[in-house]
Amino acid sequence: MHAKKFQLDLNKRTHMMGILNVTPDSFSDGGQYTDIEKAIAGAKKMEEEGADIIDIGGESTRPGHTPVSAEEEIQRIIPVIEGLKDSLQIPISVDTFKATVAEQAVKAGASMINDIWGAKKEPEIAEIAARYQVPIILMHNRTDMDYGDFITNVKADLQESISIAKKAGVEDDQIILDPGIGFAKTMEQNQYMVKELQELKAFGYPLLLATSRKRFIGDILDAPAAERDIGTAATTVIGIAKGAQIVRVHDVKTNLEAAKVADAIHRTKL
C-alpha cells in the first residue's frame, strides 16, 4: 500500500498507528496535545517507540462530545501536520469525516485519511482520497443500533462504504476497513466484533482494529481510561490472531511488544 512517498507492507507484520488527538475533550488524552510543541513532541516519541503511522485528530468522537466546525478542526490540526511532515519518517493520517478538512490535511502533508463514518457522512471525502491517491480507512458506523443479524448488518454497512469509495475512484489497494469498535454497538457487540473480526477478511481489504482504552475494556476491568493499556494489548493480540494488520493505539510501546509476540506465534510455519 502506498501513502504518498511511503510504502506500507501490511503483510509482513502488524503495523502500529499512534493516536495524537489535538483536542481539549477526547476521552483519554483530551488536552494533552493542544499545544503545538507538545503535539509534535508526542508524535516524535511515538515514532521512536515504534509507531508506523501517526493518526492526528482535531475533533473528539467520544460519546457526548461537542461538535466542532471544519474551520476549527483545520486550525487545530494543520499547524501540527506542517510541523511534523518533514521531521517524521512515517506517514501521517488525518482522523476526520469532513471532506474539506481531509483535503487541507493532505495538502499540508498527511498521507492517509481515517473516516469514522466510512465516507457516508460526507461522500466527497472519498473523492479527495481518489484525487490525491491516498489510502482511506472506512470505519463501520451507523446512526442507530437497530441490528437484525449483527455481523451480517455490519458487513452490509461496510459494503455500502466500499461502494461509495470505489464509485469515487478509490483503488482497491487504497482501502482499509475498521470494524468500528465503540461506535453504535453495545458492550457485548464490541466484544463479539473483536471475537469475529475474521468475518471481515472476506472483503479482501486490510483490517484496522481500534480498541485502545475504550469503554468496553474499562467495563471489563473496572478501570479508568488511563489504566486500560494492558487490556488494550489483550485485544491487540486477539485482533492479530483474527486478521488485523493495523492497530490504532495510545500506548505504542506496550502494544508493539504484544504485537511482536502475537506476530511471531501467528505467523510461525514449520
Side-chain angles (χ1 to χ4, degrees), residues 108-201:
S111 306
M112 301 176 70
I113 297 169
N114 182 12
D115 182 1
I116 67 163
W117 280 102
K120 291 181 182 180
K121 184 74 75 171
E122 294 192 16
E124 298 83 4
I125 200 168
E127 297 173 9
I128 300 301
R131 184 183 311 153
Y132 292 93
Q133 298 183 318
V134 296
I136 184 168
I137 299 162
L138 303 172
M139 194 193 84
H140 175 263
N141 205 347
R142 51 161 55 196
T143 56
D144 63 70
M145 295 171 64
D146 185 20
Y147 296 100
D149 182 273
F150 176 66
I151 293 293
T152 299
N153 291 163
V154 168
K155 291 166 79 171
D157 291 344
L158 283 171
Q159 184 58 63
E160 291 176 8
S161 291
I162 293 166
S163 298
I164 292 169
K166 290 176 68 83
K167 184 177 180 180
V170 179
E171 299 291 336
D172 277 328
D173 62 2
Q174 296 292 79
I175 293 174
I176 299 167
L177 300 182
D178 177 345
I181 304 300
F183 290 82
K185 298 172 184 67
T186 65
M187 176 180 171
E188 291 77 15
Q189 287 167 342
N190 284 316
Q191 293 176 190
Y192 192 75
M193 190 70 257
V194 176
K195 176 176 176 283
E196 300 297 328
L197 186 63
Q198 76 281 352
E199 289 284 335
L200 305 186
K201 292 295 288 182

Coordinates of all heavy atoms in Angstrom, one line a residue, residues 108-201:
A108 N -1.4 19.7 3.4 CA -0.4 20.1 4.4 C 0.6 19.0 4.6 O 1.7 19.3 5.2 CB -1.1 20.4 5.7
G109 N 0.3 17.8 4.2 CA 1.3 16.7 4.4 C 0.8 15.4 4.9 O 1.6 14.4 5.0
A110 N -0.5 15.3 5.2 CA -1.0 14.0 5.6 C -1.0 13.0 4.4 O -1.1 13.4 3.2 CB -2.4 14.1 6.1
S111 N -0.8 11.7 4.7 CA -0.7 10.7 3.6 C -1.8 9.7 3.6 O -1.9 8.8 2.8 CB 0.6 10.0 3.7 OG 1.7 10.9 3.8
M112 N -2.8 9.8 4.6 CA -3.9 8.9 4.7 C -5.1 9.6 5.3 O -4.9 10.6 6.0 CB -3.5 7.7 5.7 CG -2.3 6.9 5.3 SD -1.9 5.6 6.5 CE -3.3 4.5 6.3
I113 N -6.2 9.0 5.1 CA -7.5 9.6 5.6 C -8.1 8.5 6.5 O -8.3 7.4 6.0 CB -8.4 10.1 4.5 CG1 -7.8 11.2 3.7 CG2 -9.8 10.5 5.1 CD1 -8.6 11.5 2.4
N114 N -8.6 8.8 7.7 CA -9.2 7.9 8.6 C -10.6 8.5 8.9 O -10.8 9.4 9.7 CB -8.4 7.7 9.9 CG -9.0 6.7 10.8 OD1 -9.9 6.0 10.5 ND2 -8.5 6.7 12.0
D115 N -11.7 7.9 8.3 CA -13.0 8.4 8.4 C -13.9 7.5 9.2 O -14.2 6.4 8.9 CB -13.6 8.5 7.0 CG -15.0 9.1 6.9 OD1 -15.5 9.5 8.0 OD2 -15.6 9.2 5.8
I116 N -14.3 8.0 10.4 CA -15.2 7.3 11.3 C -16.6 7.0 10.8 O -17.3 6.3 11.4 CB -15.2 7.9 12.7 CG1 -16.0 9.3 12.6 CG2 -13.9 8.1 13.3 CD1 -16.5 9.8 14.0
W117 N -16.9 7.7 9.7 CA -18.3 7.5 9.1 C -18.2 6.7 7.8 O -19.2 6.6 7.1 CB -19.0 8.8 8.9 CG -19.6 9.3 10.2 CD1 -19.2 10.3 11.0 CD2 -20.8 8.8 10.8 NE1 -20.0 10.4 12.1 CE2 -21.0 9.5 12.0 CE3 -21.7 7.8 10.5 CZ2 -22.1 9.3 12.9 CZ3 -22.8 7.5 11.4 CH2 -22.9 8.3 12.5
G118 N -17.0 6.2 7.5 CA -16.9 5.3 6.3 C -17.4 6.0 5.0 O -18.0 5.3 4.2
A119 N -17.1 7.3 4.9 CA -17.5 8.0 3.7 C -19.0 8.2 3.5 O -19.5 8.6 2.4 CB -16.9 7.4 2.4
K120 N -19.8 7.9 4.6 CA -21.2 8.1 4.5 C -21.7 9.5 4.9 O -22.7 10.0 4.4 CB -21.9 7.0 5.3 CG -21.7 5.6 4.7 CD -22.5 4.6 5.6 CE -22.3 3.2 5.0 NZ -23.0 2.2 5.8
K121 N -21.0 10.1 5.8 CA -21.4 11.4 6.3 C -21.2 12.4 5.2 O -22.0 13.3 4.9 CB -20.7 11.8 7.6 CG -21.1 13.1 8.2 CD -22.4 13.0 8.9 CE -22.4 12.3 10.2 NZ -23.6 12.4 11.0
E122 N -20.0 12.4 4.6 CA -19.6 13.3 3.5 C -18.9 12.5 2.5 O -17.7 12.3 2.5 CB -18.7 14.4 4.0 CG -19.4 15.4 5.0 CD -18.6 16.7 5.2 OE1 -17.6 16.9 4.4 OE2 -18.9 17.4 6.2
P123 N -19.7 11.9 1.5 CA -19.1 11.0 0.5 C -18.0 11.7 -0.3 O -17.2 11.0 -0.9 CB -20.4 10.7 -0.4 CG -21.5 10.9 0.5 CD -21.2 12.0 1.4
E124 N -18.0 13.0 -0.3 CA -16.9 13.7 -1.1 C -15.6 13.4 -0.5 O -14.6 13.6 -1.2 CB -17.2 15.3 -1.0 CG -18.5 15.7 -1.6 CD -19.7 15.6 -0.6 OE1 -19.4 15.2 0.6 OE2 -20.8 15.9 -1.0
I125 N -15.5 12.9 0.7 CA -14.2 12.6 1.3 C -13.5 11.5 0.5 O -12.3 11.4 0.3 CB -14.3 12.2 2.8 CG1 -12.9 12.4 3.5 CG2 -14.9 10.8 2.9 CD1 -13.0 12.3 5.0
A126 N -14.3 10.6 -0.1 CA -13.8 9.5 -0.9 C -13.2 10.1 -2.2 O -12.2 9.6 -2.8 CB -14.8 8.5 -1.3
E127 N -13.8 11.1 -2.7 CA -13.3 11.8 -3.9 C -11.9 12.4 -3.6 O -11.0 12.4 -4.5 CB -14.3 12.8 -4.4 CG -15.6 12.3 -4.9 CD -16.6 13.3 -5.2 OE1 -16.3 14.5 -5.2 OE2 -17.8 13.0 -5.4
I128 N -11.8 12.9 -2.4 CA -10.5 13.5 -2.0 C -9.4 12.4 -2.0 O -8.3 12.6 -2.5 CB -10.6 14.2 -0.6 CG1 -11.6 15.3 -0.6 CG2 -9.2 14.7 -0.2 CD1 -11.3 16.4 -1.6
A129 N -9.7 11.3 -1.4 CA -8.8 10.2 -1.4 C -8.4 9.7 -2.8 O -7.2 9.5 -3.0 CB -9.4 9.0 -0.6
A130 N -9.4 9.7 -3.7 CA -9.1 9.3 -5.0 C -8.2 10.3 -5.8 O -7.3 10.0 -6.5 CB -10.4 9.0 -5.8
R131 N -8.6 11.6 -5.6 CA -7.9 12.7 -6.3 C -6.4 12.7 -5.9 O -5.6 12.9 -6.8 CB -8.6 14.0 -6.0 CG -8.0 15.2 -6.8 CD -8.7 16.5 -6.4 NE -10.2 16.3 -6.4 CZ -11.0 17.0 -5.7 NH1 -10.6 17.9 -4.8 NH2 -12.3 16.8 -5.8
Y132 N -6.2 12.6 -4.6 CA -4.8 12.7 -4.1 C -4.1 11.4 -4.0 O -2.9 11.3 -3.6 CB -4.8 13.5 -2.8 CG -5.2 14.9 -2.9 CD1 -6.5 15.3 -2.8 CD2 -4.3 15.9 -3.3 CE1 -6.9 16.6 -2.9 CE2 -4.7 17.2 -3.4 CZ -6.0 17.6 -3.2 OH -6.4 18.9 -3.4
Q133 N -4.8 10.3 -4.3 CA -4.2 9.0 -4.3 C -3.6 8.6 -3.0 O -2.5 8.2 -2.9 CB -3.2 8.8 -5.5 CG -3.8 9.0 -6.9 CD -2.8 8.8 -8.0 OE1 -1.7 9.2 -7.9 NE2 -3.3 8.1 -9.0
V134 N -4.5 8.8 -1.9 CA -4.0 8.4 -0.6 C -5.0 7.3 -0.1 O -6.2 7.3 -0.4 CB -4.0 9.6 0.4 CG1 -3.0 10.6 -0.1 CG2 -5.4 10.2 0.5
P135 N -4.5 6.4 0.8 CA -5.4 5.4 1.4 C -6.5 6.0 2.2 O -6.3 7.1 2.8 CB -4.4 4.6 2.2 CG -3.1 4.8 1.7 CD -3.1 6.3 1.2
I136 N -7.6 5.4 2.3 CA -8.7 5.8 3.2 C -9.2 4.6 4.0 O -9.3 3.5 3.5 CB -9.9 6.4 2.4 CG1 -11.0 6.9 3.3 CG2 -10.5 5.4 1.4 CD1 -12.0 7.8 2.6
I137 N -9.3 4.9 5.3 CA -9.8 3.9 6.3 C -11.3 4.1 6.4 O -11.8 5.2 6.8 CB -9.1 4.1 7.6 CG1 -7.6 3.9 7.5 CG2 -9.7 3.1 8.7 CD1 -6.8 4.4 8.7
L138 N -12.1 3.1 6.1 CA -13.5 3.2 6.2 C -14.0 2.4 7.4 O -13.9 1.2 7.5 CB -14.1 2.5 4.9 CG -13.7 3.1 3.6 CD1 -14.2 2.2 2.4 CD2 -14.2 4.5 3.4
M139 N -14.5 3.2 8.4 CA -14.9 2.6 9.7 C -16.4 2.3 9.7 O -17.2 3.1 9.1 CB -14.5 3.5 10.8 CG -14.6 2.9 12.2 SD -14.6 4.0 13.6 CE -16.3 4.5 13.6
H140 N -16.7 1.2 10.3 CA -18.2 0.9 10.4 C -18.8 1.8 11.5 O -18.3 2.0 12.6 CB -18.4 -0.5 10.9 CG -19.8 -0.8 11.1 ND1 -20.4 -0.8 12.4 CD2 -20.8 -1.1 10.3 CE1 -21.7 -1.0 12.3 NE2 -22.0 -1.2 11.0
N141 N -19.9 2.4 11.1 CA -20.6 3.3 12.0 C -22.1 3.4 11.5 O -22.3 3.1 10.3 CB -20.0 4.7 12.0 CG -20.3 5.5 13.3 OD1 -21.2 5.1 14.1 ND2 -19.6 6.5 13.5
R142 N -23.0 3.8 12.3 CA -24.4 4.0 11.9 C -25.0 4.9 12.9 O -24.5 5.1 14.0 CB -25.1 2.7 11.7 CG -25.0 1.7 12.9 CD -26.1 0.6 12.9 NE -26.1 -0.2 11.7 CZ -27.2 -0.9 11.4 NH1 -28.2 -1.0 12.2 NH2 -27.2 -1.7 10.3
T143 N -26.2 5.4 12.5 CA -26.9 6.4 13.3 C -27.8 5.7 14.3 O -28.4 6.3 15.2 CB -27.7 7.4 12.5 OG1 -28.6 6.6 11.7 CG2 -26.8 8.2 11.6
D144 N -28.0 4.4 14.2 CA -28.9 3.6 15.1 C -28.2 2.3 15.5 O -27.1 2.0 15.0 CB -30.2 3.3 14.4 CG -30.1 2.5 13.2 OD1 -29.8 1.2 13.3 OD2 -30.3 2.9 12.1
M145 N -28.8 1.6 16.4 CA -28.3 0.3 16.8 C -29.4 -0.8 16.6 O -29.5 -1.8 17.3 CB -27.9 0.3 18.3 CG -26.7 1.3 18.5 SD -26.3 1.5 20.2 CE -25.8 -0.1 20.8
D146 N -30.1 -0.6 15.5 CA -31.3 -1.5 15.2 C -30.7 -2.6 14.3 O -31.0 -2.6 13.1 CB -32.4 -0.7 14.5 CG -33.6 -1.5 14.2 OD1 -33.7 -2.6 14.8 OD2 -34.4 -1.1 13.3
Y147 N -30.0 -3.5 14.9 CA -29.5 -4.6 14.1 C -30.4 -5.8 14.1 O -31.2 -6.1 15.0 CB -28.2 -5.1 14.8 CG -27.0 -4.1 14.8 CD1 -26.8 -3.4 16.0 CD2 -26.2 -3.9 13.7 CE1 -25.7 -2.5 16.0 CE2 -25.2 -3.0 13.7 CZ -25.0 -2.3 14.8 OH -23.9 -1.4 14.9
G148 N -30.4 -6.5 12.9 CA -31.1 -7.8 12.9 C -30.0 -8.9 13.2 O -29.8 -9.1 14.4
D149 N -29.4 -9.4 12.2 CA -28.2 -10.2 12.4 C -27.0 -9.3 12.5 O -26.6 -8.7 11.5 CB -28.1 -11.3 11.3 CG -26.9 -12.2 11.5 OD1 -25.8 -11.8 11.1 OD2 -27.1 -13.2 12.2
F150 N -26.4 -9.2 13.6 CA -25.3 -8.2 13.9 C -24.2 -8.3 12.8 O -24.0 -7.2 12.1 CB -24.8 -8.4 15.3 CG -23.6 -7.5 15.6 CD1 -23.8 -6.1 15.7 CD2 -22.3 -8.0 15.8 CE1 -22.8 -5.2 16.0 CE2 -21.3 -7.1 16.1 CZ -21.5 -5.7 16.2
I151 N -23.5 -9.4 12.7 CA -22.4 -9.4 11.8 C -22.8 -9.2 10.3 O -22.2 -8.5 9.5 CB -21.6 -10.8 11.9 CG1 -21.0 -10.9 13.2 CG2 -20.6 -10.9 10.8 CD1 -19.8 -9.9 13.5
T152 N -24.0 -9.8 9.9 CA -24.5 -9.6 8.6 C -24.7 -8.1 8.3 O -24.4 -7.6 7.2 CB -25.8 -10.4 8.4 OG1 -25.5 -11.8 8.5 CG2 -26.4 -10.1 7.0
N153 N -25.3 -7.4 9.3 CA -25.6 -6.0 9.1 C -24.3 -5.1 9.1 O -24.2 -4.2 8.3 CB -26.5 -5.5 10.3 CG -27.9 -6.0 10.2 OD1 -28.6 -6.0 11.2 ND2 -28.3 -6.6 9.1
V154 N -23.4 -5.5 9.9 CA -22.1 -4.8 9.9 C -21.4 -4.9 8.5 O -20.9 -3.9 7.9 CB -21.1 -5.3 11.0 CG1 -19.7 -4.7 10.8 CG2 -21.6 -4.9 12.4
K155 N -21.4 -6.1 8.0 CA -20.8 -6.3 6.7 C -21.6 -5.6 5.6 O -21.0 -5.0 4.7 CB -20.8 -7.8 6.4 CG -19.8 -8.6 7.3 CD -20.0 -10.1 7.2 CE -19.5 -10.7 6.0 NZ -19.5 -12.2 6.1
A156 N -22.9 -5.5 5.7 CA -23.7 -4.8 4.7 C -23.4 -3.3 4.8 O -23.3 -2.6 3.7 CB -25.2 -5.0 4.9
D157 N -23.3 -2.8 6.0 CA -22.9 -1.4 6.2 C -21.5 -1.0 5.6 O -21.4 0.0 4.9 CB -22.9 -1.0 7.7 CG -24.3 -1.0 8.3 OD1 -25.3 -1.0 7.6 OD2 -24.3 -1.1 9.6
L158 N -20.6 -1.9 5.8 CA -19.2 -1.7 5.3 C -19.2 -1.8 3.8 O -18.5 -1.1 3.1 CB -18.3 -2.7 5.9 CG -17.8 -2.4 7.3 CD1 -17.0 -3.6 7.9 CD2 -16.9 -1.1 7.3
Q159 N -20.1 -2.7 3.2 CA -20.1 -2.8 1.8 C -20.6 -1.5 1.1 O -20.2 -1.1 0.1 CB -21.1 -3.9 1.4 CG -21.2 -4.2 -0.1 CD -19.8 -4.5 -0.8 OE1 -19.2 -5.5 -0.4 NE2 -19.3 -3.6 -1.7
E160 N -21.6 -0.8 1.8 CA -22.0 0.5 1.3 C -20.9 1.5 1.3 O -20.7 2.3 0.3 CB -23.1 1.0 2.2 CG -24.4 0.2 2.2 CD -25.5 0.7 3.1 OE1 -25.2 1.8 3.8 OE2 -26.5 0.1 3.3
S161 N -20.0 1.5 2.3 CA -18.9 2.4 2.4 C -17.9 2.1 1.2 O -17.4 3.0 0.6 CB -18.2 2.3 3.7 OG -19.0 2.8 4.8
I162 N -17.7 0.8 1.0 CA -16.7 0.4 0.0 C -17.3 0.8 -1.4 O -16.5 1.3 -2.2 CB -16.6 -1.2 0.0 CG1 -15.8 -1.6 1.3 CG2 -15.8 -1.7 -1.2 CD1 -15.9 -3.1 1.5
S163 N -18.6 0.7 -1.6 CA -19.2 1.1 -2.9 C -19.0 2.6 -3.1 O -18.8 3.0 -4.2 CB -20.7 0.7 -2.9 OG -20.8 -0.7 -2.8
I164 N -19.2 3.4 -2.0 CA -19.0 4.8 -2.2 C -17.6 5.1 -2.6 O -17.4 5.9 -3.5 CB -19.4 5.5 -0.8 CG1 -20.9 5.4 -0.5 CG2 -19.0 7.0 -0.9 CD1 -21.3 5.8 0.9
A165 N -16.6 4.5 -1.9 CA -15.2 4.8 -2.2 C -14.9 4.4 -3.6 O -14.2 5.1 -4.3 CB -14.4 4.0 -1.2
K166 N -15.3 3.2 -4.0 CA -14.9 2.7 -5.4 C -15.6 3.5 -6.5 O -15.0 3.8 -7.5 CB -15.3 1.2 -5.5 CG -14.4 0.3 -4.7 CD -14.8 -1.1 -4.8 CE -14.6 -1.7 -6.1 NZ -13.3 -2.2 -6.4
K167 N -16.8 4.0 -6.2 CA -17.5 4.8 -7.2 C -16.8 6.1 -7.3 O -16.8 6.7 -8.4 CB -19.0 5.0 -6.7 CG -19.8 5.8 -7.7 CD -21.3 6.0 -7.2 CE -22.1 6.8 -8.2 NZ -23.5 6.9 -7.8
A168 N -16.2 6.6 -6.2 CA -15.4 7.9 -6.3 C -14.1 7.7 -7.0 O -13.4 8.7 -7.2 CB -15.3 8.4 -4.9
G169 N -13.7 6.5 -7.2 CA -12.4 6.3 -7.9 C -11.3 5.8 -7.0 O -10.1 5.7 -7.5
V170 N -11.6 5.4 -5.8 CA -10.5 4.9 -4.9 C -10.2 3.5 -5.3 O -11.1 2.6 -5.5 CB -11.0 4.9 -3.4 CG1 -9.9 4.3 -2.5 CG2 -11.4 6.3 -3.0
E171 N -8.9 3.2 -5.5 CA -8.5 1.9 -5.9 C -8.6 0.9 -4.8 O -8.5 1.2 -3.6 CB -7.0 1.9 -6.4 CG -6.8 2.9 -7.6 CD -7.5 2.3 -8.9 OE1 -7.7 1.1 -9.0 OE2 -7.8 3.1 -9.8
D172 N -8.7 -0.4 -5.1 CA -8.8 -1.4 -4.1 C -7.7 -1.4 -3.1 O -7.8 -1.7 -1.9 CB -9.0 -2.8 -4.7 CG -10.4 -3.1 -5.2 OD1 -11.3 -2.6 -4.5 OD2 -10.6 -3.8 -6.2
D173 N -6.5 -1.2 -3.7 CA -5.3 -1.3 -2.8 C -5.1 0.0 -1.9 O -4.1 0.1 -1.2 CB -4.0 -1.5 -3.6 CG -3.7 -0.4 -4.6 OD1 -4.4 0.6 -4.7 OD2 -2.7 -0.6 -5.4
Q174 N -6.1 0.9 -1.9 CA -6.0 2.0 -1.1 C -7.1 2.1 -0.1 O -7.4 3.1 0.6 CB -6.1 3.3 -2.0 CG -4.9 3.5 -2.9 CD -3.6 3.8 -2.2 OE1 -3.0 2.9 -1.7 NE2 -3.2 5.0 -2.1
I175 N -7.8 0.9 0.1 CA -8.9 0.8 1.1 C -8.5 0.0 2.3 O -7.9 -1.1 2.1 CB -10.2 0.3 0.4 CG1 -10.7 1.2 -0.7 CG2 -11.3 -0.1 1.4 CD1 -11.9 0.7 -1.5
I176 N -8.8 0.5 3.5 CA -8.6 -0.2 4.7 C -10.0 -0.2 5.5 O -10.7 0.8 5.4 CB -7.6 0.4 5.6 CG1 -6.2 0.5 4.9 CG2 -7.4 -0.2 7.0 CD1 -5.2 1.4 5.5
L177 N -10.3 -1.3 6.1 CA -11.6 -1.4 6.8 C -11.4 -1.4 8.3 O -10.4 -2.0 8.8 CB -12.4 -2.7 6.4 CG -12.8 -2.8 5.0 CD1 -13.6 -4.1 4.7 CD2 -13.5 -1.6 4.5
D178 N -12.3 -0.8 9.1 CA -12.2 -0.7 10.5 C -13.6 -1.1 11.0 O -14.6 -0.6 10.6 CB -11.9 0.7 10.9 CG -11.9 0.9 12.4 OD1 -12.4 0.1 13.2 OD2 -11.3 2.0 12.9
P179 N -13.7 -2.1 11.9 CA -15.0 -2.6 12.4 C -15.7 -1.6 13.3 O -16.9 -1.9 13.6 CB -14.7 -3.9 13.1 CG -13.2 -3.7 13.6 CD -12.6 -2.9 12.5
G180 N -15.1 -0.5 13.7 CA -15.8 0.5 14.4 C -16.1 0.1 15.9 O -17.2 0.3 16.3
I181 N -15.1 -0.4 16.6 CA -15.3 -0.8 18.0 C -15.6 0.5 18.8 O -14.9 1.5 18.7 CB -14.1 -1.5 18.5 CG1 -13.7 -2.7 17.7 CG2 -14.3 -1.8 20.0 CD1 -14.8 -3.8 17.6
G182 N -16.7 0.4 19.5 CA -17.1 1.6 20.4 C -18.1 2.5 19.7 O -18.5 3.5 20.3
F183 N -18.5 2.2 18.5 CA -19.4 3.1 17.7 C -20.7 2.3 17.4 O -20.6 1.3 16.7 CB -18.7 3.6 16.5 CG -17.6 4.6 16.7 CD1 -16.3 4.1 17.0 CD2 -17.8 5.9 16.6 CE1 -15.3 5.0 17.3 CE2 -16.8 6.8 16.9 CZ -15.5 6.4 17.2
A184 N -21.8 2.8 17.9 CA -23.1 2.2 17.6 C -23.1 0.7 17.9 O -23.7 -0.1 17.2 CB -23.5 2.4 16.1
K185 N -22.5 0.4 19.0 CA -22.5 -1.0 19.5 C -22.6 -1.1 21.0 O -22.1 -0.2 21.7 CB -21.2 -1.7 19.0 CG -21.0 -1.8 17.5 CD -19.7 -2.3 17.1 CE -19.5 -2.3 15.6 NZ -19.4 -0.9 15.0
T186 N -23.3 -2.2 21.5 CA -23.3 -2.4 22.9 C -21.9 -3.0 23.3 O -21.1 -3.4 22.5 CB -24.4 -3.4 23.3 OG1 -24.1 -4.7 22.6 CG2 -25.8 -3.0 22.8
M187 N -21.7 -3.1 24.6 CA -20.5 -3.7 25.2 C -20.4 -5.1 24.6 O -19.3 -5.5 24.1 CB -20.5 -3.8 26.7 CG -19.3 -4.5 27.3 SD -19.4 -4.5 29.1 CE -18.0 -5.6 29.4
E188 N -21.4 -5.9 24.6 CA -21.4 -7.3 24.1 C -21.1 -7.3 22.6 O -20.3 -8.2 22.1 CB -22.7 -8.0 24.4 CG -22.9 -8.3 25.9 CD -23.4 -7.1 26.6 OE1 -23.8 -6.1 26.0 OE2 -23.3 -7.1 27.9
Q189 N -21.7 -6.4 21.9 CA -21.4 -6.3 20.4 C -20.0 -5.9 20.1 O -19.4 -6.4 19.2 CB -22.4 -5.4 19.7 CG -23.8 -5.9 19.7 CD -24.8 -4.9 19.3 OE1 -24.6 -3.7 19.4 NE2 -26.0 -5.4 18.8
N190 N -19.4 -5.0 20.9 CA -18.0 -4.7 20.8 C -17.1 -5.9 21.0 O -16.2 -6.2 20.2 CB -17.6 -3.6 21.7 CG -18.1 -2.2 21.3 OD1 -18.0 -1.8 20.2 ND2 -18.6 -1.5 22.3
Q191 N -17.4 -6.6 22.0 CA -16.6 -7.8 22.3 C -16.8 -8.9 21.2 O -15.8 -9.5 20.7 CB -17.0 -8.4 23.6 CG -16.7 -7.6 24.9 CD -17.2 -8.1 26.2 OE1 -17.2 -7.5 27.2 NE2 -17.7 -9.4 26.1
Y192 N -18.0 -9.0 20.7 CA -18.3 -10.0 19.7 C -17.6 -9.6 18.4 O -17.1 -10.5 17.6 CB -19.8 -10.2 19.5 CG -20.2 -11.3 18.7 CD1 -20.1 -12.6 19.2 CD2 -20.6 -11.2 17.4 CE1 -20.5 -13.7 18.4 CE2 -21.0 -12.3 16.6 CZ -21.0 -13.5 17.1 OH -21.3 -14.6 16.4
M193 N -17.6 -8.3 18.1 CA -16.9 -7.9 16.9 C -15.5 -8.2 16.8 O -14.9 -8.6 15.8 CB -17.2 -6.4 16.7 CG -16.8 -5.8 15.3 SD -17.9 -6.4 14.0 CE -16.8 -7.6 13.2
V194 N -14.8 -8.0 18.0 CA -13.4 -8.4 18.1 C -13.2 -9.9 17.9 O -12.4 -10.4 17.1 CB -12.8 -7.9 19.4 CG1 -11.3 -8.4 19.5 CG2 -12.8 -6.4 19.6
K195 N -14.1 -10.6 18.6 CA -14.0 -12.1 18.5 C -14.2 -12.6 17.1 O -13.6 -13.6 16.7 CB -15.1 -12.7 19.4 CG -15.3 -14.2 19.4 CD -16.3 -14.6 20.5 CE -16.5 -16.1 20.5 NZ -17.4 -16.5 19.3
E196 N -15.1 -12.0 16.3 CA -15.5 -12.4 15.0 C -14.8 -11.5 13.9 O -15.3 -11.5 12.8 CB -17.0 -12.5 14.8 CG -17.7 -13.4 15.8 CD -17.3 -14.8 15.6 OE1 -17.0 -15.2 14.4 OE2 -17.2 -15.6 16.6
L197 N -13.8 -10.9 14.2 CA -13.1 -10.0 13.2 C -12.8 -10.7 11.9 O -12.9 -10.0 10.8 CB -11.9 -9.4 13.8 CG -11.1 -8.3 13.0 CD1 -12.0 -7.1 12.9 CD2 -9.8 -7.9 13.7
Q198 N -12.5 -11.9 12.0 CA -12.1 -12.6 10.7 C -13.2 -12.6 9.7 O -13.0 -12.9 8.5 CB -11.7 -14.1 11.1 CG -12.8 -15.0 11.4 CD -13.4 -14.9 12.8 OE1 -12.8 -14.2 13.6 NE2 -14.5 -15.6 13.1
E199 N -14.5 -12.4 10.2 CA -15.6 -12.3 9.2 C -15.4 -11.3 8.2 O -16.0 -11.3 7.1 CB -16.9 -12.1 10.0 CG -17.4 -13.3 10.8 CD -18.0 -14.3 10.0 OE1 -18.5 -14.0 8.9 OE2 -18.0 -15.5 10.4
L200 N -14.7 -10.2 8.5 CA -14.5 -9.1 7.6 C -13.3 -9.3 6.6 O -13.1 -8.6 5.7 CB -14.2 -7.8 8.4 CG -15.3 -7.4 9.4 CD1 -14.9 -6.1 10.0 CD2 -16.7 -7.4 8.8
K201 N -12.6 -10.4 6.8 CA -11.5 -10.7 5.9 C -12.0 -11.1 4.5 O -11.2 -10.9 3.5 CB -10.6 -11.9 6.5 CG -9.8 -11.6 7.7 CD -8.8 -10.5 7.5 CE -7.6 -11.1 6.6 NZ -6.5 -10.1 6.4

